[in-house]
Amino acid sequence: MLIRRELADDIAAIAAVHRSAFGPHQPDGDLTELTGEPQADDGADPPEVDLVARLRSDPGWIPTLSMVAVEYDTVIGHVCLTRASIGPFPVLALGPIGVLAEHQGTGAGSALMHAVLGAADALDEPLVCLLGHLDYYPRFGFVPAARLGIAPDDPAWAPHFQVRTLSAYDPRITGEFRYPEPFYEL
């Protein structure tokens, strides 16, 4: 497996990854489960597919931090980090991260997480925030954001809102977190 930056030719394959990872057949769709919105089973794309497409057009898009896992020339996973903020401080938002259903549990998701966090750290980013499962993300160093004085701008997200500090972290970064606009257009 190779982890590399997303290329223009990967766009359809990335949509297929998120369709597979978060489709109606998957009981643990990340955004759906955590936001409380019902998962559609009418054949419509899960919201993560549209989210990635909208993020690519947003000023918060960081092409170098959109990565794919490739196995035998096939994209099997995707993750992206986008520009977000905590008050006046620029930070990163993680998501979505997805792996083709038939490749889940093979380590592709972990490899993507390690690669994207390492890339963000190398770019001197201070921290990464996400809305995610409490039993998955702590293995990558994520902790409840409230421990660092960081809160999501939607209080309902607080129980699942997590943060991972990086080498350039500054403890003065506290306050309300704001995702890039496409996260609010779902």
Side-chain angles (χ1 to χ4, degrees), residues 65 79-84 86 90-95 113 116-121 125-131 137 140-143 145 148 150 161-167 169 173 177 179:
L65 295 177
V79 65
C80 63
L81 295 175
T82 50
R83 179 64 60 214
I86 297 173
V91 298
L92 296 173
L94 188 141
M113 283 294 292
V116 80
L117 291 172
D121 196 48
E125 294 290 344
L127 60 84
V128 176
C129 294
L130 63 79
L131 184 61
Y137 294 103
F140 304 106
F142 284 87
V143 298
L148 299 177
I150 299 168
F161 193 66
Q162 301 170 59
V163 64
R164 166 68 150 78
T165 61
L166 302 173
S167 298
Y169 171 68
I173 301 174
F177 174 86
Y179 277 105

Side-chain angles (χ1 to χ4, degrees), residues 1-104:
M1 176 176 33
L2 168 71
I3 306 296
R4 65 163 169 77
R5 169 182 178 164
E6 169 188 329
L7 303 174
D9 290 345
D10 297 328
I11 290 174
I14 290 168
V17 162
H18 293 300
R19 224 173 261 119
S20 174
F22 298 105
H25 61 283
Q26 295 297 321
D28 295 325
D30 214 19
L31 288 177
T32 301
E33 183 174 306
L34 297 173
T35 61
E37 297 297 320
Q39 179 85 30
D41 61 358
D42 58 1
D45 279 344
E48 291 81 1
V49 174
D50 187 47
L51 175 60
V52 173
R54 288 175 185 241
L55 285 170
R56 282 191 191 99
S57 302
D58 188 79
W61 182 250
I62 305 170
T64 55
L65 295 177
S66 180
M67 302 182 137
V68 293
V70 180
E71 188 174 83
Y72 303 110
D73 296 324
T74 300
V75 172
I76 64 166
H78 173 255
V79 65
C80 63
L81 295 175
T82 50
R83 179 64 60 214
S85 64
I86 297 173
F89 301 101
V91 298
L92 296 173
L94 188 141
I97 180 171
V99 175
L100 289 173
E102 61 270 21
H103 289 274
Q104 291 176 5

